[in-house]
Amino acid sequence: PRAAARGRSSPAATPQQQQGSSGAAAAGPPVRMMSDLVHHLCAHPMYRMLSLRALPQVPAASIDFTTFTWPAISRRLRQMVINGSALEEGLDWGLSTGNPTSTTPQPAMPGASGATPGSGVRGSPAESPGPSGGASAGLRRGVNKSVACYAVLRGQGSAEADIGAALGDPGLYPFWAVDPLSVACHPARFARCTMSAAALNNDQGCVGPMTQMLDRAYSMLASRAYVHQYEQYGLTVDDFQACFAHMEEIVERYRLM
């Protein structure tokens, strides 16, 4: 795919495509998949968890009878990002950046002290994964925040699609994020769909699954399930607890974002 810089602030000179006021993007060189993705999405060492969302989500047998438009795809992809959901079904359309339904804490600057690893993480029922698959029920009561987003558009008219209007909203990102949105496009179809879009986000979607994994891991460690097998190879309970503490710190930083 070819890249296009679309965000809430002026794009740098390095992106391969520039978006004009009309929303169209000019052709640019191919995206360097690994370096471009890592550089844009994981620039900060404390935020490295990614969530993938893709549209359309229709049965293969229904593709030939489905009409696709970029405004509809952009709108639904934006709502999936806001909800922190990997599924198109069951979205809360009342949740928006202009009308958050819960009060979230003021985001801390990356690296700032004061976030206690594990506080408000273990055993919190509000942080359990929700039915939409990906975000926690607690986070879905507020807007899902992203450090950065890399969107890929495939198919007819992808270069002219104004995805920046949907995913470039400052309310989707913490105040310290710089040029958080980057877009790549290609006219070739994906999976027989005349239009398709995907968003790879470094966002809070990891909080629910990681919290559930931590609760399960603590429960297994408390019952010493399989611990003796690890101890045969030099791992101790202290090693497990150190790993759990590191995961709790990751969860807490995302939760307070």
Side-chain angles (χ1 to χ4, degrees), residues 23-215:
V31 176
R32 298 168 299 178
M33 294 304 297
M34 182 59 69
S35 60
D36 286 350
L37 288 174
V38 172
H39 179 269
H40 179 70
L41 292 170
C42 302
H44 198 288
M46 296 180 183
Y47 299 93
R48 297 290 178 87
M49 307 300 293
L50 305 181
S51 303
L52 179 63
R53 301 172 180 90
L55 287 173
Q57 297 180 4
V58 297
S62 302
I63 291 178
D64 295 335
F65 308 98
T66 304
T67 301
F68 303 106
T69 64
W70 285 117
I73 290 177
S74 299
R75 184 170 60 252
R76 300 193 76 86
L77 187 59
R78 168 186 166 85
Q79 203 62 30
M80 289 170 67
V81 171
I82 288 177
N83 281 253
S85 173
L87 298 179
E88 184 181 7
E89 183 180 0
L91 296 176
D92 180 4
W93 288 93
L95 184 61
S96 67
T97 55
N99 183 33
T101 58
S102 67
T103 302
T104 56
Q106 178 69 17
M109 286 294 290
S113 59
T116 303
S119 59
V121 177
R122 284 193 59 212
S124 173
E127 299 294 342
S128 60
S132 63
S136 67
L139 281 178
R140 285 205 315 278
R141 290 197 293 268
V143 173
N144 176 54
K145 297 281 187 176
S146 301
V147 175
C149 174
Y150 200 102
V152 178
L153 311 181
R154 299 289 297 267
Q156 177 183 346
S158 57
E160 290 76 35
D162 188 11
I163 193 71
L167 300 182
D169 187 345
L172 296 175
Y173 308 96
F175 70 93
W176 43 262
V178 179
D179 292 334
L181 176 62
S182 184
V183 181
C185 57
H186 197 282
R189 293 186 180 188
F190 178 75
R192 294 174 44 225
C193 296
T194 56
M195 301 176 184
S196 61
L200 187 59
N201 289 65
N202 185 341
D203 64 6
Q204 294 175 310
C206 65
V207 172
M210 288 185 68
T211 301
Q212 186 183 43
M213 286 188 288
L214 273 170
D215 289 342

